[in-house]
Amino acid sequence: MSRQANRGTESKKMSSELFTLTYGALVTQLCKDYENDEDVNKQLDRMGYNIGVRLIEDFLARSNVGRCHDFRETADVIAKVAFKMYLGITPSITNWSPAGDEFSLILENNPLVDFVELPDNHSALIYSNLLCGVLRGALEMVQMAVEAKFVQDTLKGDGVTEIRMRFIRRIEDNLPAGEE
Amino acid sequence: MSRPAHKRPEYHKINKDLFVLTYGALVAQLCKDYEKDEDVNKYLDKMGYSIGTRLVEDFLARSCVRRCHSYSEIIDIIAQVAFKMYLGTTPSVTCHNSSRNEFSLILHKNPLAEFIEELPAGRSALCYCNLLCGIIRGALEMVHLAADVTFLQDRLKGDNVTEIGITFLKKVDDKKYRRKK
């Protein structure tokens, strides 16, 4: 018996609430496993890195984005294509450094933090730090070493959520990226 | 400074792959935390239950589902509306018995296991997608329906399909339920 095609019942699109709540369960588990927020932040970043390394293959296959020729073009692709595809939002790009090697992504809303309130004993927790790891892992696979970090967070009372992106260097082709 | 009012969440469509990979990170973390597969399974179910009790509020607010009059109607809504909304897939439904309280959802692809081919080494008893059982059970309990939810078949264990069995128990007693509030 031949296997039935499943086309028509599968979609890459899903509503974000299940993802948001599952992510919340992950953060809760890490807060139990590690004694301090810094370790949770580190582990979220590491997990995000591993996710980004795999997600980039899917992204390049689906988005028809060619090679970016500079960091400005990369910023546009991240904000207008990748965030839209994977999180259903389009952050704005601001605060370019004069050298063009740093910019900020401004998220007016962050679906990861729907339903979330940060308890007082986790003031150092960077709740959505997985996203920084995802960005770093994905860009490393296209030969860009970057730093990504949250500099504003609505969960901490800021008006917006801001991820600061800094280009460090282009990675030589003969050094394959690996898992952390 | 007063804390800004919590904005009503906007509804976002996301690509499933980020969720599937994040779920993989969760399972990997639980496998680090617990030696036994049955403990990981139990914990996934418990997490799923907690998620389901909250997800059902979102579902009822968005889906315009009214009161259901039969178990099979409820199962159809789970398969055709809820799975579609939250996982982008529509399982098929079968009914197992004449009293019509035992059903199965048949998934030809395991929606949470898209990036893995087989269970991790030494984890043959792991129920990788057990979060889904907890979610369904938690959501149903919030609408006063007690149910047993288990995986009967799993493609990750060599079966041809992934099958989630749902057995409705008796209706949760209204008075008992009210007392718990």
Side-chain angles (χ1 to χ4, degrees), chain B residues 60-154:
Chain B
L60 293 175
R62 296 177 53 191
S63 65
C64 301
V65 168
R66 299 304 174 213
R67 180 175 295 274
C68 293
H69 297 97
S70 68
Y71 292 142
S72 66
E73 200 176 327
I74 290 161
I75 289 292
D76 282 342
I77 285 165
I78 291 172
Q80 289 168 32
V81 188
F83 264 77
K84 184 67 181 178
M85 184 181 290
Y86 295 116
L87 287 172
T89 188
T90 306
S92 47
V93 172
T94 61
C95 180
H96 288 299
N97 60 351
S98 54
S99 61
R100 297 192 67 80
N101 74 319
E102 289 178 29
F103 299 86
S104 283
L105 303 172
I106 310 292
L107 295 143
H108 294 279
K109 264 204 263 175
N110 195 330
L112 295 185
E114 201 162 313
F115 286 89
I116 71 180
E117 308 275 327
E118 55 195 24
L119 292 171
R123 292 283 184 181
S124 57
L126 175 67
C127 210
Y128 187 85
C129 297
N130 216 36
L131 191 86
L132 292 183
C133 295
I135 290 172
I136 294 169
R137 194 165 54 80
L140 288 174
E141 191 159 312
M142 290 299 284
V143 294
H144 304 203
L145 289 161
D148 274 342
V149 188
T150 56
F151 275 92
L152 303 178
Q153 292 190 81
D154 190 345

Side-chain angles (χ1 to χ4, degrees), chain A residues 4-76:
Chain A
Q4 283 191 15
N6 218 12
R7 199 179 297 155
T9 64
E10 291 290 318
S11 163
K12 279 295 187 183
K13 292 294 180 187
M14 64 182 271
S15 200
S16 66
E17 286 76 19
L18 176 55
F19 172 55
T20 299
L21 290 167
T22 301
Y23 184 75
L26 175 63
V27 176
T28 300
Q29 186 62 28
L30 291 176
C31 288
K32 285 181 198 171
D33 289 345
Y34 297 96
E35 291 199 9
N36 61 70
D37 289 348
E38 289 307 316
D39 288 338
V40 176
N41 294 342
K42 218 171 290 176
Q43 185 65 9
L44 284 171
D45 184 77
R46 183 176 302 134
M47 286 176 165
Y49 177 91
N50 292 333
I51 289 171
V53 161
R54 302 184 69 177
L55 204 62
I56 186 69
E57 298 167 25
D58 175 75
F59 177 73
L60 293 175
R62 291 164 50 84
S63 65
N64 290 321
V65 168
R67 174 173 290 270
C68 295
H69 297 96
D70 60 25
F71 204 39
R72 279 186 181 271
E73 205 175 323
T74 301
D76 276 348

